[in-house]
Amino acid sequence: MPGTDFLQLDPAAAPARGLTDWLTAAVRAAVLDGRLTAGDRLPATRTLAADLGTARGVVVEAYQRLVDEGLVAARPGAGTVVLPRSVAVPPRPAVATPAGPVRLPVPTDRPLLDGVIDLSPGVPDLAAFPRAAWLRAERAVLRDASAADLGYGDPRGSARLRGELAGWLGRTRGLQVAPEQVLVVAGVAQALALLAQTLRSRAAVAIAVEDPGSRGAREEFVHWGLRPVGVPVDAEGLVVPALPAVPAVVVTPAHQFPTGVVLSPARRRELLAWARDGGGLVVEDDYDAEHRYDRAPVPALQPSAPEHVAHTGSTSKTLAPGMRLGWLVAPAGWDADLVAAKHASDLGSPALPQLVLAELLRSGEYDRHLRRVRGRQRARRDALLAALTRFLPEAQVSGVAAGLHLLVTFPGSDADDVAQAASAREAGVVVHPLSWHRTTPGDPGLVIGYAASPPDRLHAAVERLARALHR
Amino acid sequence: MPGTDFLQLDPAAAPARGLTDWLTAAVRAAVLDGRLTAGDRLPATRTLAADLGTARGVVVEAYQRLVDEGLVAARPGAGTVVLPRSVAVPPRPAVATPAGPVRLPVPTDRPLLDGVIDLSPGVPDLAAFPRAAWLRAERAVLRDASAADLGYGDPRGSARLRGELAGWLGRTRGLQVAPEQVLVVAGVAQALALLAQTLRSRAAVAIAVEDPGSRGAREEFVHWGLRPVGVPVDAEGLVVPALPAVPAVVVTPAHQFPTGVVLSPARRRELLAWARDGGGLVVEDDYDAEHRYDRAPVPALQPSAPEHVAHTGSTSKTLAPGMRLGWLVAPAGWDADLVAAKHASDLGSPALPQLVLAELLRSGEYDRHLRRVRGRQRARRDALLAALTRFLPEAQVSGVAAGLHLLVTFPGSDADDVAQAASAREAGVVVHPLSWHRTTPGDPGLVIGYAASPPDRLHAAVERLARALHR
């Protein structure tokens, strides 16, 4: 008893005579109730006839009737396609778009009008994504991958990628890790989710976070049942002596989000002592470590205390956030629980993008990309600094030596930074008020991302910003 | 103050004189302590010199010394690479491989010897993955994608893919869904994880599952804090009257795993009545629905009761499990919680593979692939059936009309199917004992997958199997 996936047509359900009528009615019904919509292609007559075990003439005749009814049309080269319906028909069920939870980083809620310049922090220059290199690497992967590479894989990730990452983390971030210690994750957000689940399973109820810090990370911890406890950040980074009694703390030592501060050597020592003395876990979000301009790289924390630090990073700021591809290196006692959590979440990350990233690392293309992008971003940062000096000379700028954003504050001002950001938006430029990223009151400030805008746009944006603030 | 990511070398830390000595020592230390390993490339001399703000001659000289020491070698076309170390050096930290949790489906724990034929169920023919079509689609995606397509996206998935899936699910599975109702997930495993989390947040403590049924799914529910309650499966599928008082049940109506039974029309009606009367959720795992050979397609359950059925499927059995790409269509009241759970897990699935699948659906390439694969799989199933008839005439075979595996039982036998599978393995063929997939005792059986083996291998495998069972 043959049949076809197309509309689940079953010729056994058709009358003994009148197959053409039956087929015509079935397709007509699908067009009218919305299962087929404008632009959908009907199967080729030869194919559908074979599937239905009928003569091709039956299908040709049915299609012709539908053409006559104005429901479909034969298009040269495209076969028979469904036409837009000109009469009122019941619409497809309307579904309210769920109120999107806040993303990492805080998203713009309203669509941007034309001409508005978006300087939200946390987004790289998506136009710089290395499309040609990615396609070349994908071609190599599809040529060389074994069939087993495409099967149910190790939940920890592809062995090839973990090997490349272990080498790359060693060369560029000083981590001494074996490939077996690297867990491939869907970005830092998933690394934090897996750590949060593991902490919860060990009876943790709270986790310390930087304040100001990532609002998305705080909300994620709440989802997983951990209470985020804000710890102040000053000019040296996290104020370690203010750490409460919690089993873990998340820090961004290389370029604090959103202040851009680098964790000072003294604070690094204090933080590692806190972990050693109390047995707490330091989660090192290696945020923006790859983007540094006029200073030597800040070494990662993890090599100083691998048994106390979980190190995580991703390609979200180096390639694109849509990659959802990152890594997590945790102390030995955490491995099994984290792998179990990863397995229970998604069985492991997709194979092909992992193999492509491995190929980009192996060939050196990833490092060449970082180098190219760094030069461009430095020029953008310099353009932003020049514009700030010219149009907002009273502003104090910090966090400029690295990263994709900087922080502007106004010493002695008691301005409302939310109101400032709202005025800026009216003037056609989007920046983040620092207080969006705080849980407790503090000095006002504006967080300005510069990676995604060329110098002339940055110049124009700061001119608008100054007009708005000086009004 | 310049610097380089390579080993985080900071020239400011170097002595005023002796930069060559310093650089040589730094690279030597990295080779000896394992941060650089055999095959790693050193940066080009010109690049490293520029990064360090030093003369190129310094780097050339340092590299030459390392060559003299036998640590690195200059390779034409490949630059300077680290050599394998011939002397004993402290190994990288050894890490025990965590005992891998059971995958979906149950994996083979031991590596297969050469010549062993693996007929484990649940794996498609990975050699059939449409590499050329995937690469073509990826090229089109990388050419046409906007920068925003690569950014932080909608956690529900790419609008383009959800639109294509809504159309495809309508055409081939009869679902009437708007794109907004489709949630893109990392395979059915993630769909079950998100549903489990949502059920738990609504105070559920148990979920009904088929018995025999997927062991991986049962273990996943346990991880998420839901107790899986086995419900018997007979020749009509799930025994609905045996359903306990639970808030949800997971079924594989199109081709039950592992028995291959199709849920009968009477049982479908009973199951939907159970959901309507008691308010329970039916989770429809549309397992193997695309793979059917000599029967009309079984319609999905979801269109009969969209307010009571969550429908999920994936590309794991049509493209490859390593894709980790699937879909979930849930009743309206579940949407917001499921999207929040997806967002908290990974912010959303990776962008590029979603866009590539959308392109394969749009171009009709996905359907052509299914058609091609179906013809090949039918031939394999026929070869397996012929071999079973010849070598194991006493076996009763079921579940043959669809899917990628079938079930062999021996009426009247009280054999131990675990022992049978062990004998088969010794004879060089891997099959699953039915009891692996049971939680309560029942008739013995062997589950045999045929998608991944050509006809002659299937013939040889059954010959071996018969030898083992007749011994």
Side-chain angles (χ1 to χ4, degrees), chain A residues 83 189 216 253 284 291 312 335 456 470:
Chain A
L83 289 175
E284 174 178 37
H291 306 293
T312 179
D335 260 10
D456 59 326
H470 292 156

Side-chain angles (χ1 to χ4, degrees), chain B residues 140-197:
Chain B
V141 163
L142 286 167
R143 185 190 59 219
D144 300 334
S146 71
D149 284 336
L150 305 174
Y152 285 105
D154 189 322
R156 295 172 300 177
S158 136
R160 213 166 319 151
L161 176 58
R162 289 153 69 220
E164 291 294 339
L165 283 173
W168 186 81
L169 288 167
R171 290 193 299 280
T172 68
R173 305 297 296 133
L175 274 70
Q176 293 192 42
V177 289
E180 293 72 31
Q181 291 172 276
V182 179
L183 178 62
V184 176
V185 294
V188 170
Q190 185 173 60
L192 298 182
L194 301 178
L195 287 162
Q197 291 168 57

Side-chain angles (χ1 to χ4, degrees), chain A residues 125-353:
Chain A
D125 183 7
L126 295 170
F129 183 82
R131 298 183 187 216
W134 185 275
L135 185 63
R136 272 197 307 277
E138 179 108 24
R139 184 182 299 117
V141 163
L142 286 167
R143 185 190 60 218
D144 299 334
S146 71
D149 284 336
L150 305 174
Y152 285 104
D154 189 323
R156 295 172 299 176
S158 137
R160 214 167 318 153
L161 177 57
R162 290 153 68 220
E164 291 294 338
L165 283 172
W168 186 81
L169 288 168
R171 289 193 299 280
T172 69
R173 304 297 296 133
L175 274 69
Q176 294 192 42
V177 290
E180 294 73 29
Q181 292 171 276
V182 179
L183 178 63
V184 176
V185 294
V188 169
Q190 185 173 60
L192 298 183
L194 301 178
L195 287 163
Q197 292 168 56
T198 303
L199 283 160
R200 282 294 291 137
S201 75
R202 297 177 181 194
V205 296
I207 186 165
V209 297
E210 295 167 326
D211 187 9
S214 162
R215 184 166 130 184
R218 286 199 302 273
E219 299 192 343
E220 199 181 346
F221 288 130
V222 169
H223 175 95
W224 292 110
L226 282 182
R227 186 167 48 86
V229 181
V231 176
V233 171
D234 66 14
E236 291 191 68
L238 186 83
V239 181
V240 177
L243 267 174
V246 287
V249 57
V250 184
V251 285
T252 49
H255 189 240
Q256 204 270 335
F257 184 87
T259 65
V261 166
V262 178
L263 193 65
S264 74
R267 290 283 171 76
R268 290 168 68 97
R269 283 192 298 275
E270 287 174 17
L271 183 59
L272 296 176
W274 173 86
R276 284 201 196 92
D277 297 347
L281 180 73
V282 174
V283 179
E284 174 178 37
D285 175 355
D286 205 24
Y287 189 81
D288 274 356
E290 301 88 347
H291 306 293
R292 49 166 198 83
Y293 307 115
D294 28 28
R295 67 165 197 232
V298 179
L301 278 177
Q302 195 271 357
S304 302
E307 66 280 27
H308 298 292
V309 177
H311 177 96
T312 179
S314 81
T315 58
S316 291
K317 307 295 183 295
T318 56
L319 292 173
M323 294 290 109
R324 311 308 316 128
L325 195 50
W327 44 88
L328 171 60
V329 175
W334 294 74
D335 260 10
D337 285 354
L338 291 168
V339 174
K342 171 70 175 164
H343 184 265
S345 298
D346 54 21
L347 302 190
S349 288
L352 287 177

Side-chain angles (χ1 to χ4, degrees), chain B residues 250-273:
Chain B
V250 184
V251 285
T252 49
H255 189 241
Q256 204 270 335
F257 184 86
T259 65
V261 167
V262 177
L263 193 65
S264 74
R267 291 282 172 77
R268 291 168 68 96
R269 284 192 298 275
E270 287 174 17
L271 183 58
L272 295 177

Side-chain angles (χ1 to χ4, degrees), chain A residues 98-109 189 214-220 223 432 436-437, chain B residues 152-153 155 339-340 342-344 347:
Chain A
V102 173
R103 299 189 187 115
L104 298 168
V106 178
T108 308
D109 298 304
S214 162
R215 184 166 130 184
R218 286 199 302 273
E219 299 192 343
E220 199 181 346
H223 175 95
H432 277 195
W436 275 9
H437 302 284
Chain B
Y152 285 105
V339 174
K342 171 70 176 165
H343 185 265
L347 302 190

Side-chain angles (χ1 to χ4, degrees), chain A residues 1-11 33-36 40-41 47 51 92-93 95-98 101-105 122-123 126-127 129 131 134-135 138-139 141-156 166-167 169-181 186 189-190 193 197 220 223-224 289-290 292-299 316-317 320-324 335-337 339-341 343-353 362-364 370-371 374, chain B residues 1-10 33-36 40-41 47 51 92-93 95-98 101-105 122-123 126-127 129 131 134-135 138-139 141-156 166-167 169-181 186 189-190 193 197 220 223-224 289-290 292-299 316-317 320-324 335-337 339-341 343-353 362-364 368 370-371 374:
Chain A
M1 187 165 63
T4 170
D5 284 338
F6 178 66
L7 306 176
Q8 300 92 59
L9 294 175
D10 179 358
D33 72 17
R35 274 174 293 153
L36 292 172
D40 282 349
R41 283 187 228 187
T47 304
D51 281 352
R92 291 190 174 205
V95 176
T97 301
V102 173
R103 299 189 187 115
L104 298 168
V123 181
L126 295 170
F129 183 82
R131 298 183 187 216
W134 185 275
L135 185 63
E138 179 108 24
R139 184 182 299 117
V141 163
L142 286 167
R143 185 190 60 218
D144 299 334
S146 71
D149 284 336
L150 305 174
Y152 285 104
D154 189 323
R156 295 172 299 176
L169 288 168
R171 289 193 299 280
T172 69
R173 304 297 296 133
L175 274 69
Q176 294 192 42
V177 290
E180 294 73 29
Q181 292 171 276
Q190 185 173 60
Q197 292 168 56
E220 199 181 346
H223 175 95
W224 292 110
E290 301 88 347
R292 49 166 198 83
Y293 307 115
D294 28 28
R295 67 165 197 232
V298 179
S316 291
K317 307 295 183 295
M323 294 290 109
R324 311 308 316 128
D335 260 10
D337 285 354
V339 174
H343 184 265
S345 298
D346 54 21
L347 302 190
S349 288
L352 287 177
R362 188 202 63 74
S363 66
L370 286 184
R371 189 177 295 277
R374 188 180 295 157
Chain B
M1 187 166 63
T4 171
D5 284 339
F6 178 66
L7 306 176
Q8 299 93 58
L9 294 175
D10 179 358
D33 72 18
R35 274 174 293 152
L36 292 172
D40 282 349
R41 282 187 228 188
T47 304
D51 281 353
R92 292 191 173 205
V95 176
T97 301
V102 173
R103 301 192 184 113
L104 297 168
V123 181
L126 295 171
F129 183 82
R131 297 182 187 218
W134 185 275
L135 185 63
E138 179 108 23
R139 184 182 299 118
V141 163
L142 286 167
R143 185 190 59 219
D144 300 334
S146 71
D149 284 336
L150 305 174
Y152 285 105
D154 189 322
R156 295 172 300 177
L169 288 167
R171 290 193 299 280
T172 68
R173 305 297 296 133
L175 274 70
Q176 293 192 42
V177 289
E180 293 72 31
Q181 291 172 276
Q190 185 173 60
Q197 291 168 57
E220 199 181 345
H223 176 95
W224 292 110
E290 301 88 347
R292 49 164 199 84
Y293 307 115
D294 28 27
R295 67 164 198 233
V298 178
S316 292
K317 307 294 183 294
M323 294 291 109
R324 311 308 316 128
D335 259 10
D337 284 354
V339 174
H343 185 265
S345 298
D346 54 22
L347 302 190
S349 288
L352 287 177
R362 188 203 62 76
S363 66
R368 278 191 288 281
L370 286 183
R371 189 176 294 278
R374 187 180 295 157

